[in-house]
Amino acid sequence: MQMRHSTLPIAALLGAALSFLPGCESTKSSSPSPSDTQAQEPASMQAADAWKRARVGDRVTYSFSATQGPDPRGGGTARTLGGQLTLEVVSVQQPWVWVRLAFTDEAGKPLAHPRLSQDLILPVRADTTRPLDVPHAGEATAEKPSTAGRTWEAMRYVSDQRPVDGPLRTRVYANEPGPLYLTQGLLEASTETAGFHIPGGFKLTLREFREGSAGANAPVPALERPLGPGAYYDRRVDVGPSPGVQRVCFAAERGYLLRTEGPIDTNAAPCSDFSQAEPERLEELLMSLPWEVLSSGDWPPAAAASGTRGTFTAEGRNVPALTEQRTENVEGTQRVFSETYAAEPWAPALAGLPYEARFQPLSSVTERVVTGGKREPEGGTRLVRWGSWLGGQK
């Protein structure tokens, strides 16, 4: 995908204190050997091959914590969020591996915030339609961390952008991902914001892993709450000289997410071409989601919560909605801005809608007020359809 959320790129989302959770000790090497520094490519290849051997019940669980604020310029209070992130294989129908994602509290109960309160389904291709790789950033150091009851041969990657007001970013990956193929061997991670950004951060560490049983079978789950891959959504964009409908498609291959956006090609099957999509690591996207919760605040947005209740309709689906409306004087011209949000982002009427679209306006309209108080539309966007493109895919 990239599952760059259309509003916030991943690089800008993550922040975290450079510290790791208790119980994760490591022995560092002062400098990596030539074989260590070359471990990145083989590890990536091993993780990719492991998808072909995926079994129902394969699971990894991480502990995570995120903090944000307060703003150093004054105002606001610090916000925190913590719990567990679990990825589990729930069905295997080669070449597809179906993974369930869940954010929970330390007791394993769903988190309260709507953005992370529901499990998500992610179908991943065990093969690839083209070579995919996202190199690790930063200086590499070999080490042997002990976590989840096991000592790992690993590489620590540290990227320090603080001198230019960027983040301090650390990732530790096992040289041989083995049972951690779902996250390409990730053992721990942290990012810490710096410079002029709101202080805060994110940290994550492996808690446990489990391998499934050979021969275990389970039916393919319904794609009712997709993270994105396997699904799409269409949005009508009435802006500029060429209004039209834009389609956003999502796919996943061997732990990499792909996202495309563009005009609908009526001569091709939906979402049949990801050749130009920039790959993004699944684990990087997942680490961004708690940070988004802290950045976005409550749901629905405060202005919409006090707005007008109504129904948003798209292709016969009736979605309970909230509409906020505000008027502004822009260079002497009065304009009315209206935005409609899902009152309940997990409402049954939104079944099949990719995650990112659930937390964006369902519609956004700008109108100009002319003589006599009449309003004339100037443009806007509107969600018009969504669904799964997986049917018939081989």
Side-chain angles (χ1 to χ4, degrees):
M1 286 179 278
Q2 223 178 4
M3 197 147 168
R4 270 179 313 224
H5 292 248
S6 30
T7 54
L8 294 171
I10 293 303
L13 289 167
L14 291 177
L18 183 60
S19 58
F20 303 100
L21 297 180
C24 186
E25 301 174 353
S26 65
T27 301
K28 295 185 180 180
S29 168
S30 57
S31 60
S33 68
S35 61
D36 290 329
T37 56
Q38 295 172 8
Q40 176 177 332
E41 182 178 354
S44 178
M45 293 173 61
Q46 291 171 24
D49 291 341
W51 284 95
K52 293 183 177 180
R53 301 187 297 274
R55 297 184 294 189
V56 173
D58 287 350
R59 184 177 69 186
V60 293
T61 298
Y62 294 86
S63 293
F64 75 88
S65 63
T67 62
Q68 191 176 102
D71 192 322
R73 292 165 292 188
T77 59
R79 298 174 299 282
T80 63
L81 180 67
Q84 301 180 42
L85 163 63
T86 298
L87 296 82
E88 181 172 4
V89 176
V90 293
S91 182
V92 178
Q93 302 288 335
Q94 292 289 356
W96 296 98
V97 177
W98 297 75
V99 181
R100 182 175 62 230
L101 314 173
F103 286 89
T104 63
D105 63 18
E106 289 295 340
K109 298 180 180 179
L111 294 176
H113 198 286
R115 286 181 179 267
L116 299 180
S117 65
Q118 300 289 328
D119 293 356
L120 300 171
I121 294 296
L122 167 69
V124 183
R125 285 190 70 115
D127 55 4
T128 55
T129 56
R130 63 185 173 96
L132 297 174
D133 188 29
V134 179
H136 297 296
E139 181 179 346
T141 305
E143 63 177 66
K144 295 183 179 180
S146 295
T147 187
R150 177 171 168 178
T151 298
W152 310 78
E153 297 279 350
M155 294 293 292
R156 177 181 296 269
Y157 301 92
V158 179
S159 174
D160 190 352
Q161 300 297 316
R162 289 175 297 179
V164 290
D165 293 326
L168 172 62
R169 183 176 180 274
T170 302
R171 303 289 185 267
V172 181
Y173 282 89
N175 293 345
E176 296 183 6
L180 308 183
Y181 70 91
L182 291 168
T183 54
Q184 304 196 60
L186 182 67
L187 297 173
E188 58 185 56
S190 73
T191 309
E192 179 183 355
T193 58
F196 298 105
H197 303 287
I198 294 177
F202 182 90
K203 60 183 178 182
L204 173 147
T205 192
L206 178 66
R207 181 178 181 134
E208 62 182 13
F209 61 89
R210 184 187 74 184
E211 297 181 85
S213 302
N217 294 305
V220 171
L223 202 58
E224 294 182 351
R225 297 189 298 271
L227 174 66
Y232 72 93
Y233 67 91
D234 296 341
R235 191 180 295 276
R236 180 164 186 82
V237 181
D238 292 319
V239 178
S242 302
V245 177
Q246 297 282 310
R247 172 163 290 168
V248 181
C249 295
F250 304 91
E253 299 180 2
R254 291 187 178 182
Y256 293 100
L257 305 180
L258 306 172
R259 181 184 188 276
T260 64
E261 181 172 357
I264 296 177
D265 183 352
T266 57
N267 297 317
C271 306
S272 57
D273 183 8
F274 288 91
S275 61
Q276 301 303 310
E278 182 181 352
E280 178 181 17
R281 289 178 175 270
L282 169 61
E283 64 272 20
E284 290 295 330
L285 169 69
L286 297 180
M287 285 188 283
S288 78
L289 299 184
W291 183 258
E292 282 191 38
V293 168
L294 299 183
S295 300
S296 63
D298 295 333
W299 185 270
S306 58
T308 303
R309 287 191 170 271
T311 301
F312 175 87
T313 302
E315 291 201 321
R317 306 194 203 197
N318 297 317
V319 182
L322 295 167
T323 299
E324 68 155 307
Q325 195 171 89
R326 68 184 188 278
T327 302
E328 295 182 11
N329 192 301
V330 182
E331 297 180 349
T333 300
Q334 191 176 33
R335 287 180 169 85
V336 178
F337 301 91
S338 302
E339 287 188 328
T340 298
Y341 295 87
E344 168 47 62
W346 304 109
L350 293 174
L353 182 64
Y355 177 88
E356 74 169 36
R358 293 174 185 265
F359 299 97
Q360 296 175 358
L362 301 175
S363 70
S364 179
V365 178
T366 301
E367 299 170 298
R368 181 176 65 251
V369 180
V370 297
T371 304
K374 183 180 179 180
R375 298 181 184 178
E376 293 183 351
E378 287 192 319
T381 64
R382 182 181 179 86
L383 181 68
V384 294
R385 72 181 61 85
W386 61 89
S388 171
W389 55 264
L390 268 181
Q393 292 290 317
K394 302 296 184 182

